[in-house]
Amino acid sequence: MKKFWLIVLISLMTTNIAFAEDSGQMLSGKDLVNFAEGEYFGVKDKQDNIIIPAKYKKMIRLGDCAWIVQNKKSKFGLIDNNGEILVPIKFTHAERYFNRFAKLGNVNIFGIYDETGKIVVDPIYAKIDVLYGKMFLTYKDYKYGIVGFDGKQILENEFDDIYMPKQNVMRIQYRGKWIELE
């Protein structure tokens, strides 16, 4: 029963645009269907053509044209709708943010990637979290910094603490002193 609901959930998540493997034409996401073979998942079109073989333990839609996947060795990476690898499947941790970004990493090294596999936040941080205002909070060498969704560094990792108690308020601790910005 759990597999059934998982398949239904994944099918509902595929209402985006995809590309057909053979023809290179664009297919509407409604023309793609997740399928399972045993414990593994793949993607077919409505004509039952396999676009991505069922070889992944997990498949999570990322944007219009990519998937966060987990292989048989429990490693994560990023593939496009044709099954081509965009980001190597070698990470032990994966999270999806806003259906457009994938946080991938191992133990204490994380980065953020977009749906094309482009690095948005370099994979050099011990922690990365989301802040209000289209920003990522980064943590490296015991210091905090901020990177925008566009990948541009807003604040270098020089601060003792950064948090946002409200959407329009940021509190920053620098050398033991607190600064509040609105």
Side-chain angles (χ1 to χ4, degrees):
M1 187 67 171
K2 287 181 184 180
K3 268 189 192 175
F4 170 77
W5 287 113
L6 181 60
I7 291 169
V8 169
L9 179 63
I10 291 173
S11 295
L12 291 173
M13 292 170 47
T14 61
T15 57
N16 294 313
I17 298 173
F19 298 94
E21 180 178 18
D22 300 322
S23 64
Q25 321 173 13
M26 263 212 276
L27 293 175
S28 166
K30 64 184 175 212
D31 293 328
L32 296 178
V33 181
N34 281 81
F35 74 98
E37 285 181 0
E39 298 177 358
Y40 299 105
F41 296 94
V43 175
K44 291 182 179 182
D45 64 16
K46 283 192 172 180
Q47 290 74 40
D48 217 26
N49 298 312
I50 295 175
I51 296 176
I52 301 173
K55 62 180 184 178
Y56 297 105
K57 289 170 70 173
K58 290 184 183 176
M59 292 187 74
I60 303 165
R61 170 65 79 183
L62 186 65
D64 292 334
C65 57
W67 300 84
I68 299 169
V69 293
Q70 182 183 33
N71 68 12
K72 295 174 183 176
K73 296 179 181 178
S74 296
K75 300 291 184 178
F76 293 95
L78 192 62
I79 65 171
D80 68 13
N81 283 337
N82 295 324
E84 299 296 320
I85 295 174
L86 299 172
V87 177
I89 303 171
K90 64 178 187 175
F91 300 99
T92 58
H93 177 87
E95 288 182 59
R96 180 178 65 169
Y97 292 139
F98 306 109
N99 196 31
R100 7 183 323 214
F101 299 109
K103 174 181 168 182
L104 300 170
N106 293 313
V107 187
N108 288 323
I109 302 294
F110 297 95
I112 302 286
Y113 301 82
D114 70 11
E115 66 183 293
T116 66
K118 178 183 166 218
I119 295 173
V120 177
V121 178
D122 288 327
I124 59 172
Y125 297 100
K127 294 182 201 172
I128 301 174
D129 291 306
V130 177
L131 287 175
Y132 292 114
K134 298 183 179 182
M135 298 180 288
F136 293 107
L137 178 66
T138 59
Y139 184 74
K140 179 175 87 167
D141 298 328
Y142 305 102
K143 298 291 181 179
Y144 291 92
I146 298 176
V147 175
F149 277 15
D150 59 2
K152 293 181 182 170
Q153 188 83 41
I154 296 170
L155 292 175
E156 296 289 331
N157 287 73
E158 301 175 350
F159 301 92
D160 302 320
D161 199 1
I162 298 175
Y163 73 98
M164 295 182 74
K166 297 180 193 171
Q167 191 170 357
N168 63 342
V169 176
M170 182 179 289
R171 293 192 177 141
I172 301 171
Q173 185 180 30
Y174 183 69
R175 296 185 180 178
K177 294 186 180 183
W178 283 96
I179 302 164
E180 186 171 303
L181 306 171
E182 283 193 46

